[in-house]
Amino acid sequence: MPERFFITGTDTGVGKTVVSALLCAALDAIYWKPIQTGTREGTDRKTVMELAQLPRARTLPETYRFAPPVSPHLAARRAGVRIALRRIRMPRIAARESLIVEGAGGALVPINESQLMTDLMRHLKLPVLLVARTALGTINHTLLSLAALRAARLSVRGVIMVGKPNRENQKAIERYGDISVVGTVSWLKKIDPKLLLKTFNENFDRKAFHL
Ligand SMILES: Nc1ncnc2c1ncn2[C@@H]1O[C@H](COP(=O)(O)OP(=O)(O)OP(=O)(O)O)[C@@H](O)[C@H]1O
Ligand SMILES: [Mg+2]
């Protein structure tokens, strides 16, 4: 059964792209990042191709790309562009294909003068996976993000925690967030598809992905 998710995070730099690469490897999914800022420092599409060794054809082109590494609403404004949800269409891929869509930053990042990343998630009608750090501060950031996602009436499939394992933080997120941590990714040294698959097989709840 194909699995399709929108990957958001509690912050920028939490590990959304690494988790996306892992899920592309594990689910044999296609990768798409509709809004990419900071292209002058590289793109997440290229990083996922490298980390998961995906051929370019298993990734989709961004709808919006901006050079400066700032929030999408600001990058677009500086480029004299307005990000419009109607231009970000679900890609026409075969029904049997799994798809991983990566957001930019976190749930409440603005994309234009009146809409947020949560509006993009609703527009694409995808269940959400929330990537969070394991480190101190994560309980607050994760519960706030869950509250924002639920207030936007999004379906949150689970949380994925990245970093040095922290059982207590995981338990607190599950309890106070009323959510399952469906996967954990420790700090990986040299990321390659074999290590990503091993991490998925050992540290992810396969049932949450219908495997
Ligand atoms: N489990 C991990 N092991 C080793 N390095 C990691 C891991 N997770 C993330 N990193 C590194 O941390 C940095 C930030 O991770 P990543 O790019 O995945 O974050 P992001 O949430 O996608 O950021 P953005 O908001 O820019 O899209 C990268 O250099 C990445 O290689
Ligand atoms: Mg990323």
Side-chain angles (χ1 to χ4, degrees):
M1 193 163 91
E3 293 290 320
R4 297 185 173 192
F5 296 108
F6 192 104
I7 311 295
T8 190
T10 53
D11 198 354
T12 184
V14 280
K16 294 186 299 296
T17 300
V18 170
V19 167
S20 296
L22 181 150
L23 291 174
C24 283
L27 307 173
D28 189 22
I30 291 173
Y31 174 82
W32 183 36
K33 173 126 174 163
I35 305 174
Q36 172 78 64
T37 65
T39 57
R40 68 163 74 115
E41 289 157 14
T43 67
D44 287 354
R45 180 189 191 189
K46 192 152 172 288
T47 302
V48 168
M49 283 165 58
E50 284 162 11
L51 296 180
Q53 289 292 305
L54 285 192
R56 197 173 178 76
R58 300 294 293 167
T59 67
L60 297 163
E62 300 88 357
T63 312
Y64 289 100
R65 297 165 50 104
F66 303 100
V70 297
S71 169
H73 79 291
L74 184 57
R77 196 205 304 149
R78 284 186 185 164
V81 171
R82 179 182 186 277
I83 293 175
L85 288 183
R86 69 185 150 73
R87 280 205 52 213
I88 304 180
R89 290 191 204 100
M90 263 306 262
R92 282 172 207 248
I93 54 173
R96 66 184 145 74
E97 297 279 13
S98 294
L99 176 71
I100 296 297
V101 181
E102 181 180 342
L108 296 189
V109 160
I111 56 172
N112 57 35
E113 75 295 334
S114 63
Q115 291 176 304
L116 307 170
M117 200 50 73
T118 43
D119 293 300
L120 173 59
M121 298 176 208
R122 276 190 67 80
H123 171 71
L124 294 175
K125 300 188 174 68
L126 291 173
V128 177
L129 286 168
L130 175 63
V131 179
R133 294 192 176 94
T134 55
L136 187 65
T138 194
I139 301 174
N140 179 51
H141 287 147
T142 306
L143 298 184
L144 283 170
S145 299
L146 287 171
L149 292 166
R150 287 171 177 155
R153 286 169 288 128
L154 287 155
S155 153
V156 188
R157 180 72 67 86
V159 170
I160 295 168
M161 298 188 70
V162 178
K164 188 168 167 252
N166 186 318
R167 249 337 265 160
E168 286 301 331
N169 283 349
Q170 178 172 335
K171 278 199 302 198
I173 284 167
E174 291 190 315
R175 170 155 186 218
Y176 298 103
D178 190 21
I179 192 83
S180 297
V181 171
V182 295
T184 56
V185 185
S186 57
W187 212 250
L188 306 171
K189 282 229 173 73
K190 202 184 156 308
I191 302 176
D192 61 28
K194 215 170 127 219
L195 183 56
L196 292 174
L197 280 176
K198 182 170 178 281
T199 303
F200 181 83
N201 288 329
E202 291 176 359
N203 302 326
F204 277 64
D205 175 9
R206 299 176 64 84
K207 285 198 296 296
F209 299 90
H210 301 117
L211 290 173

